[in-house]
Amino acid sequence: MYRSHTCGELRIENANQQVTLAGWVQTVRKFGAITFIDLRDRYGITQLLFGEELNNELDQSPLGREFVLQVKGMVNERSNKNANIATGDIEIKVESFKVLNKSAVPPFTIQDDTDGGDDLRMKYRYLDLRRNAVKKNLELRYAVNRSARNYLHENNFMDIETPFLIKSTPEGARDFVVPSRMNAGQFYALPQSPQTFKQLLMVSGYDRYYQIVKCFRDEDLRADRQPEFTQIDCEMCFVEQEDILNMFEGLIKQIFKDVKNIDYKETVERMSWEEAMWQYGNDKPDIRFGMKICNLKFPSHTFSSKENISSLINGADFKVFDEAETVVAIAVPGCSEYSRKQTDELTEWVKRPQIGMKGLVFIKVNTDGTFKSSVDKFYSEEKLKAIASATNASAGDLILILAGAEERTRKAISELRLEMGKRLGLRKENEFKLLWVLDFPLFEYAEEDNRWVARHHPFTSPKPSDIQVMINNNPVIENAADYLKHPYANIKANAYDMVLNGNEIGGGSIRIYQRELQEKMFAALGMDAAEQHHKFGFLLGAFEYGAPPHGGIAFGFDRLCSILGGSESIRDFIAFPKNNSGRDVMLDAPSTIDEKQFEELQIKLNLK
Ligand code: ASP
């Protein structure tokens, strides 16, 4: 028997028991003839006391950090208790010990505030994983996994594995491809998601499917992206959007309960995509705080149902506003006393290339009812008052206004809102706010090819009321500059995203399940019959054999964990992540392969 207890287990009640522990040496502290060692394992740390009688033996085989050690001894009450650790009331008076394995000096300290930089820790990830901070993240990940599985199991979902060596599934990213030796010159694609398989499972009658599954997308990486990542992937048949929203609100609420002990009682708010863009400037708004956008001016082809109030700002000889396509504002609460230095800093902030604005206009709504603005020359006090009232500003607020081209300006005001929310402490780490964003556009315009692409994926159904618009109109865009006037630009999808604190944590749709409509969809995306048959013949074929109405959703598992764990990066929640260039620095992958492997694959490199 290697151990009778773990290093996190023993308490004062165990005093005078004979025990055997095994673990890693965290620290060695020598005090004259006695030596204290902290022994660590996954469960905790236990203090060991080596008395004088073991001195010789210790001298012969000195113990270093990370040595693997087995000790036998007696549990004793400590005279000097440590309230910071669970085993702090006791120590083990060691009677005999055995070095199970030595360790080289680790390249960084295995503790929470380690001295190891990111690269070094990734290179020695197996050591990094010994650290408590990392272990906590993996424990949280496992808790989310367990909670999801329990909930889905309770609700009759069946976990069914789907293959990794497949043919391209279009989720809008580049595929990773794998050459086939047995079929020389041919390639598998790794799944960007199990999308088509889960739909086929519906055709097969497995009416509730789920899988916690790896997906592969060859995209440029950011802190919260990995080339391989995990989804909680789900599909149901005989459901409408409402059924899906209810079922998966339930899932996330259960995870909140199990993992964070949060009883999320409120119904999850819902907002149309258009409303999200109008009020927040993006499709995954953080609704933990208000500061909604005031649309002072916007191009007539967007938000056609909204009232235009541009007369408030136009015609005052202020060119920036007169000439801008879009003018948008937010009222930042309680910041009217910002100094010149602070408003200058904000101006610099919006001018950064990532934001890309030319400048920032501000209006201070002073607490005495007066106004002070950077455009006093152009706007009378009365006008400023009217603008302030349109933005819903109160006394003491600072109104920030951006002007420019629609897309960029809307994105910029959205970023500025989030930044101000952060600076004012309104994006509280321990507050969780869920939101469903609904009614997304079905298509997105792809400028480089002057054609439509699926905003979600090509299996998403249009709103029933828009099906005829899709069928009756030619997808060809005659005039690229006017693509927004094409009837396709306004077609809405049966698609939904779940948003948590400003992050998209899941997305899905009600699918197309009739062959004819699916063919029309492919055609709208510019696929002729031959290409449809080549790429998706299997799915079109399956739709001939009694495909039921169905829909589903997939959650970004890594991201969900990172938000629940209060971290910006999903890498912290993945045992063996890749770095920002998609490399595994521990394995040194990707790497070249042997000449022999190239020969077997009948592949020749032609690097440019
Ligand atoms: N397969 C989709 C995705 O990966 C999710 C879904 O539509 O269920 O985004």
Side-chain angles (χ1 to χ4, degrees):
M1 183 186 61
Y2 274 111
R3 57 181 173 182
S4 60
H5 295 81
T6 70
C7 295
E9 202 176 343
L10 296 167
R11 302 285 183 274
I12 193 77
E13 298 78 52
N14 301 99
N16 302 322
Q17 271 179 26
Q18 222 26 68
V19 297
T20 310
L21 298 187
W24 287 262
V25 172
Q26 172 87 24
T27 52
V28 181
R29 302 185 302 278
K30 228 169 147 30
F31 289 103
I34 58 172
T35 301
F36 288 106
I37 284 183
D38 281 347
L39 195 67
R40 181 195 69 238
D41 67 8
R42 185 184 137 195
Y43 306 92
I45 283 182
T46 300
Q47 177 165 291
L48 312 176
L49 169 63
F50 291 72
E52 213 165 334
E53 66 287 359
L54 292 173
N55 253 347
N56 261 349
E57 235 181 297
L58 272 184
D59 285 346
Q60 271 160 27
S61 48
L63 301 173
R65 278 195 288 144
E66 302 308 314
F67 274 43
V68 188
L69 191 65
Q70 183 190 43
V71 298
K72 289 184 196 301
M74 176 81 89
V75 181
N76 280 346
E77 181 170 0
R78 268 207 227 180
S79 52
N80 208 348
K81 298 201 169 54
N82 179 353
N84 294 327
I85 57 172
T87 62
D89 287 349
I90 57 101
E91 65 194 5
I92 311 298
K93 174 79 175 60
V94 178
E95 287 159 14
S96 66
F97 72 95
K98 189 171 167 194
V99 174
L100 298 177
N101 211 344
K102 289 187 191 160
S103 168
V105 176
F108 50 87
T109 53
I110 314 282
Q111 52 198 39
D112 282 4
D113 50 349
T114 178
D115 53 358
D118 217 36
D119 283 350
L120 196 62
R121 288 192 293 108
M122 287 306 141
K123 178 151 188 232
Y124 297 92
R125 182 64 166 169
Y126 48 87
L127 295 180
D128 195 35
L129 288 168
R130 288 185 190 165
R131 292 169 54 233
N132 210 22
V134 188
K135 191 188 73 192
K136 278 216 172 86
N137 292 343
L138 291 191
E139 282 172 350
L140 181 135
R141 185 183 174 103
Y142 180 51
V144 178
N145 185 314
R146 245 172 24 235
S147 170
R149 284 187 191 284
N150 287 343
Y151 178 87
L152 293 166
H153 177 73
E154 292 293 313
N155 282 288
N156 256 339
F157 283 79
M158 206 167 141
D159 178 349
I160 304 176
E161 287 161 85
T162 52
F164 280 173
L165 296 176
I166 65 163
K167 200 163 160 160
S168 181
T169 356
E171 296 282 3
R174 225 173 269 116
D175 285 325
F176 279 106
V177 293
V178 180
S180 165
R181 180 186 56 80
M182 285 190 287
N183 304 275
Q186 297 188 338
F187 295 79
Y188 300 101
L190 298 181
Q192 291 185 32
S193 83
Q195 185 61 36
T196 47
F197 288 103
K198 65 176 175 174
Q199 291 193 242
L200 291 176
L201 287 169
M202 294 304 114
V203 178
S204 310
Y206 295 89
D207 63 346
R208 291 181 172 201
Y209 142 95
Y210 88 98
Q211 202 181 171
I212 299 188
V213 63
K214 275 282 163 72
C215 302
F216 306 85
R217 297 184 191 176
D218 189 2
E219 295 176 296
D220 292 335
L221 304 175
R222 297 195 303 254
D224 59 349
R225 287 251 175 98
Q226 285 275 304
E228 53 176 313
F229 61 97
T230 306
Q231 284 188 344
I232 309 176
D233 188 45
C234 308
E235 195 77 5
M236 303 169 82
C237 67
F238 304 122
V239 284
E240 290 166 345
Q241 175 167 299
E242 194 61 32
D243 302 304
I244 302 254
L245 301 190
N246 287 331
M247 176 63 72
F248 293 100
E249 248 171 73
L251 169 68
I252 298 301
K253 286 179 176 179
Q254 187 64 49
I255 292 174
F256 278 167
K257 180 94 205 81
D258 292 342
V259 178
K260 301 291 287 185
N261 203 17
I262 292 173
D263 218 352
Y264 198 100
K265 286 235 172 57
E266 312 110 81
T267 26
V268 175
E269 267 185 58
R270 298 178 182 190
M271 190 181 293
S272 70
W273 174 84
E274 188 173 291
E275 217 39 59
M277 296 306 287
W278 176 256
Q279 294 183 19
Y280 297 95
N282 75 54
D283 58 7
K284 45 181 165 60
D286 185 345
I287 55 164
R288 280 174 296 181
F289 66 105
M291 228 190 273
K292 291 181 190 168
I293 296 172
C294 168
N295 293 271
L296 292 162
K297 190 175 175 184
F298 52 94
S300 55
H301 55 259
T302 56
F303 309 109
S304 49
S305 64
K306 300 289 186 187
E307 192 195 348
N308 197 325
I309 53 167
S310 55
S311 57
L312 262 186
I313 51 165
N314 276 349
D317 263 353
F318 184 46
K319 272 211 175 113
V320 176
F321 286 177
D322 282 347
E323 289 171 6
E325 190 178 28
T326 291
V327 181
V328 277
I330 50 171
V332 185
C335 291
S336 67
E337 289 184 0
Y338 261 34
S339 64
R340 174 71 192 262
K341 194 167 157 224
Q342 284 172 299
T343 49
D344 281 354
E345 188 269 327
L346 278 181
T347 306
E348 285 314 308
W349 193 91
V350 302
K351 282 180 165 173
R352 294 175 325 148
Q354 302 95 299
I355 307 294
M357 288 285 99
K358 293 219 173 74
L360 176 72
V361 169
F362 65 84
I363 304 173
K364 293 174 171 175
V365 188
N366 297 324
T367 40
D368 62 4
T370 62
F371 296 88
K372 174 91 200 89
S373 83
S374 54
V375 285
D376 281 351
K377 260 207 284 190
F378 304 97
Y379 295 97
S380 63
E381 178 103 357
E382 209 156 306
K383 275 269 180 190
L384 293 178
K385 196 171 174 183
I387 297 172
S389 143
T391 61
N392 275 326
S394 311
D397 288 1
L398 172 68
I399 300 170
L400 302 176
I401 310 177
L402 295 177
E406 164 65 20
E407 221 178 294
R408 171 174 290 198
T409 310
R410 196 161 290 281
K411 189 158 182 288
I413 196 81
S414 154
E415 295 290 339
L416 183 62
R417 173 183 171 272
L418 291 173
E419 176 67 16
M420 296 315 291
K422 190 165 113 195
R423 291 187 188 190
L424 297 184
L426 302 173
R427 307 183 70 188
K428 296 193 196 87
E429 202 183 282
N430 269 324
E431 189 185 355
F432 295 95
K433 267 280 197 191
L434 291 166
L435 170 73
W436 284 114
V437 178
L438 309 171
D439 307 339
F440 279 81
L442 184 67
F443 296 110
E444 218 167 49
Y445 177 64
E447 205 179 332
E448 53 289 7
D449 310 323
N450 188 38
R451 67 177 184 92
W452 300 106
V453 292
R455 191 180 166 100
H456 188 45
H457 51 51
F459 316 109
T460 295
S461 62
K463 290 270 174 218
S465 52
D466 285 341
I467 291 180
Q468 288 311 317
V469 182
M470 186 175 110
I471 293 178
N472 296 340
N473 285 285
N474 187 338
V476 171
I477 304 153
E478 303 284 355
N479 182 356
D482 266 351
Y483 77 90
L484 276 170
K485 294 188 180 144
H486 191 287
Y488 274 31
N490 285 320
I491 297 182
K492 294 285 187 286
N494 272 322
Y496 31 78
D497 273 2
M498 187 179 253
V499 175
L500 173 57
N501 293 358
N503 303 277
E504 179 205 324
I505 56 164
S509 59
I510 298 297
R511 324 296 184 192
I512 297 171
Y513 66 99
Q514 302 99 330
R515 178 176 180 138
E516 302 71 43
L517 187 57
Q518 187 64 70
E519 284 173 344
K520 285 273 187 289
M521 180 68 183
F522 287 146
L525 301 173
M527 263 185 242
D528 62 19
E531 191 180 354
Q532 292 184 24
H533 176 77
H534 171 68
K535 287 191 170 152
F536 299 110
F538 65 98
L539 189 72
L540 293 171
F543 283 179
E544 299 264 337
Y545 294 95
H550 60 285
I553 191 166
F555 290 92
F557 182 55
D558 312 284
R559 189 171 303 172
L560 179 58
C561 294
S562 76
I563 299 169
L564 293 175
S567 162
E568 300 258 306
S569 165
I570 63 171
R571 282 205 286 163
D572 297 347
F573 293 80
I574 297 174
F576 297 103
K578 311 261 186 292
N579 73 6
N580 282 344
S581 338
R583 295 199 71 81
D584 183 320
V585 290
M586 180 182 73
L587 302 177
D588 192 22
S591 56
T592 51
I593 56 172
D594 293 343
E595 204 45 55
K596 182 154 173 281
Q597 287 173 297
F598 279 118
E599 258 164 45
E600 282 173 348
L601 294 167
Q602 302 185 54
I603 285 180
K604 253 208 181 95
L605 280 187
N606 183 20
L607 295 178
K608 298 258 157 62

